[in-house]
Amino acid sequence: MNYQSHISYFQSLLGNKQVLTDTEQLERCASDETEDLHFLPQIVLQPETVEQVSGIMRYCNEHLIPVTPRGAGTGLSGGALPVQGGVVLDMKRFNKVLHIDKRNFQVTTEPGVITQVLMDAVKDEGLFYPPDPASKGSCFIGGNVSENSGGPRAVKYGVVKDYVLNIEMVLPNGEIIWTGANVLKNATGYNLTQLVVGSEGTLGVITKIVLRLIPAVKHDLLLLVPFRSAVQACEAVNAIFIAGYTPSALEFMERDALEWSMKYVQSTGVDLPEDIQAHLLIEVDGNHMDQLYKDAEAISEIVQKFDTGEILFADSHEQKQMLWTLRRKVGEAVKSNSIYKEEDTVVPRAELPELLRIIKETGKQYGFQSVCYGHAGDGNLHVNIVKGNMSDKDWQHKLPEGIRVLFKEVVRLGGTISGEHGIGLVQKNYMDIAFNSVQLGLMKQIKHVFDPNGILNPGKIFPD
């Protein structure tokens, strides 16, 4: 396709500065944080109004031009990569928190707002938006909605879908719709809002989001618990819940994960004895410190029934920040050490010890090393597979076989192949493990209803 003939239309719609074809901008939008994948678009467009997005989509639909929506580029499944070239719809100019409604505990925001910026804005008003992915300091709230992101505090507060009330979106044909209503209960027809959440930019382009909020909590306590057995660390997770406690965060880190993160951020804040194989990072929060101390002490007694080392109570803001930085930087630390693939497995929480055993056994069978960490309270384990000494041939051919075996075991345990990172490009050919042909057929029909010409974020979710 000769894209030069389309540039004049886009320039008339957006202005010259918002139509980008220079190499630097095309390269910027050719990759994200997913492995080392690279797909060049022909044009990058930066609209700033819903009417501009509508005009772009209408034109591209008429001319069968592929359109890939893009947020901050922090995705881990290749969901924002322009695999068929065409137009990248860069949403960075949609960067305003439009209205904080304190009376109704709601916020209306554009999708290009950085998640941390949104969280801070509502916090200043005494309100709380809980979902906090590791990349919250750089990712966009629109991308969070598109991937149904979670984060550490999902164990107590839920994931993004639990906070989205309503969405303004542009359909592939250019029509502008709202998906629902700004209410806490809605039994009016099909739930289009929740259909769009987690749809990975394949059904429409999100231009406004209405989120529910909750009152801000006043206090939190943080514990770092070392274990001499990684499997026992996973077993301790469910023991906490069985005893009747729901932490506001419950994170698992294998020894390598914490050790690599400490080196990456150049921190010596955590002692790592040679016999320690894993850690749980446990947070409790609330409005009454006396109760939090009681909860923390009770949880400490529960985990000490396992083979633990000395528990660290973070007793200052700085120490809490240090521990959270180590946890949130694990992914970047692994990436800096080796070529890697990250799998986003999730199982019912009680099956977490078995999942960890299966991961390690599969690694031995197929010759790969894994560094595991994640949201243990949700049963969501991130499996970072590092290339290390694997040959290129085994990395390309043997490893996918091992991942398929692992995913089958995950589904057998009652889990699924992605908890929060999405399917995008890199996981789509494993979708037959999670769904049969009838289920996949229904999803494809839904996609066709929204996008009959297949122009919006093509090449994602569905197997080749």
Side-chain angles (χ1 to χ4, degrees):
M1 185 179 293
N2 179 15
Y3 281 90
Q4 194 62 41
S5 62
H6 304 300
I7 289 176
S8 60
Y9 169 76
F10 294 130
Q11 288 176 333
S12 68
L13 180 66
L14 305 177
N16 292 357
K17 292 183 178 180
Q18 292 166 241
V19 180
L20 309 173
T21 58
D22 59 286
T23 301
E24 181 180 353
Q25 291 296 329
L26 298 182
E27 287 286 347
R28 178 180 66 85
C29 294
S31 60
D32 60 8
E33 294 299 319
T34 311
E35 302 167 23
D36 56 353
L37 303 176
H38 186 270
F39 299 90
L40 274 175
Q42 275 69 43
I43 307 172
V44 175
L45 303 179
Q46 294 182 333
E48 55 188 351
T49 68
V50 65
E51 291 79 15
Q52 289 177 342
V53 174
S54 175
I56 290 167
M57 294 310 304
R58 185 181 302 110
Y59 184 88
C60 289
N61 194 51
E62 291 172 356
H63 293 84
L64 303 181
I65 299 171
V67 179
T68 304
R70 181 183 177 90
T74 59
L76 294 168
S77 63
L81 300 182
V83 295
Q84 294 185 15
V87 166
V88 162
L89 200 60
D90 184 354
M91 300 298 289
K92 66 185 297 182
R93 292 176 181 266
F94 279 76
N95 59 1
K96 301 178 187 67
V97 177
L98 298 172
H99 178 55
I100 299 173
D101 183 353
K102 293 178 65 175
R103 293 172 60 246
N104 289 304
F105 287 74
Q106 295 177 9
V107 59
T108 302
T109 181
E110 292 182 326
V113 174
I114 293 172
T115 304
Q116 183 69 65
V117 171
L118 176 71
M119 296 173 75
D120 291 344
V122 301
K123 183 179 179 181
D124 289 343
E125 301 295 333
L127 302 171
F128 184 28
Y129 174 71
D132 60 337
S135 58
K136 65 180 182 178
S138 55
C139 63
F140 289 172
I141 188 65
N144 295 173
V145 172
S146 295
E147 300 294 336
N148 191 24
S149 300
R153 293 184 176 89
V155 61
K156 180 176 180 178
Y157 293 106
V159 297
V160 167
K161 72 175 178 61
D162 300 305
Y163 294 87
V164 180
L165 299 176
N166 203 356
I167 293 171
E168 180 189 72
M169 64 184 288
V170 179
L171 299 177
N173 65 4
E175 292 185 23
I176 302 168
I177 67 166
W178 282 91
T179 59
N182 302 357
V183 292
L184 297 176
K185 297 170 70 175
N186 190 339
T188 312
Y190 293 144
N191 195 331
L192 296 180
T193 303
Q194 292 299 318
L195 178 61
V196 173
V197 176
S199 63
E200 303 190 40
T202 62
L203 302 181
V205 179
I206 296 171
T207 49
K208 290 187 184 71
I209 308 156
V210 181
L211 301 165
R212 78 175 182 93
L213 306 170
I214 60 177
V217 292
K218 296 177 181 177
H219 308 291
D220 60 69
L221 293 176
L222 190 63
L223 296 74
L224 184 69
V225 186
F227 290 80
R228 295 184 177 89
S229 162
V231 170
Q232 281 201 12
C234 292
E235 291 171 350
V237 170
N238 211 40
I240 293 169
F241 289 92
I242 289 174
Y245 297 94
T246 302
S248 51
L250 210 175
E251 299 290 292
F252 170 85
M253 292 179 285
E254 269 194 302
R255 180 189 179 90
D256 285 349
L258 184 56
E259 192 169 29
W260 289 11
S261 187
M262 288 174 65
K263 290 178 181 177
Y264 182 72
V265 302
Q266 299 181 335
S267 171
T268 58
V270 176
D271 186 33
L272 269 179
E274 290 185 4
D275 61 339
I276 296 301
Q277 298 303 312
H279 287 79
L280 292 181
L281 185 64
I282 306 171
E283 181 190 82
V284 292
D285 72 353
N287 294 322
H288 304 287
M289 283 300 294
D290 289 347
Q291 185 61 50
L292 293 187
Y293 280 121
K294 290 178 182 178
D295 290 348
E297 289 171 5
I299 290 171
S300 297
E301 291 177 6
I302 294 166
V303 297
Q304 286 179 79
K305 295 176 182 178
F306 299 87
D307 191 5
T308 62
E310 184 177 354
I311 297 174
L312 171 63
F313 280 79
D315 56 6
S316 68
H317 175 75
E318 290 74 21
Q319 199 169 31
K320 292 175 185 177
Q321 288 294 104
M322 179 269 293
L323 292 176
W324 274 119
T325 297
L326 290 175
R327 166 59 189 90
R328 292 184 185 279
K329 292 293 184 180
V330 171
E332 294 176 40
V334 173
K335 188 174 184 178
S336 71
N337 269 271
S338 172
I339 296 172
Y340 80 113
K341 292 181 182 293
E342 182 168 356
E343 309 305 336
D344 177 36
T345 58
V346 60
V347 294
R349 188 168 51 226
E351 306 301 332
L352 200 57
E354 180 64 13
L355 172 60
L356 186 63
R357 280 191 284 263
I358 288 169
I359 291 167
K360 298 306 178 182
E361 289 172 3
T362 306
K364 290 178 182 177
Q365 181 180 354
Y366 287 89
F368 64 78
Q369 176 190 356
S370 62
V371 179
C372 298
Y373 63 96
H375 315 306
D378 302 326
N380 183 194
L381 200 60
H382 301 321
V383 185
N384 276 18
I385 300 170
V386 297
K387 187 171 186 290
N389 296 322
M390 283 190 80
S391 67
D392 291 343
K393 180 180 179 182
D394 283 352
W395 184 256
Q396 294 295 329
H397 302 290
K398 190 175 181 179
L399 179 60
E401 296 175 14
I403 294 173
R404 178 165 282 272
V405 168
L406 172 60
F407 282 165
K408 285 182 178 179
E409 289 295 297
V410 167
V411 172
R412 181 184 65 80
L413 292 173
T416 193
I417 66 176
S418 180
E420 59 184 12
H421 292 170
I423 298 302
L425 175 66
V426 297
Q427 307 293 20
K428 67 177 186 176
N429 287 327
Y430 300 111
M431 282 283 275
D432 63 296
I433 299 171
F435 299 107
N436 62 32
S437 59
V438 174
Q439 294 166 309
L440 286 172
L442 286 171
M443 292 183 195
K444 290 177 179 178
Q445 289 179 59
I446 292 170
K447 165 69 171 172
H448 183 75
V449 168
F450 279 80
D451 183 18
N453 289 330
I455 66 158
L456 188 56
N457 209 6
K460 311 295 169 56
I461 297 180
F462 303 112
D464 291 332

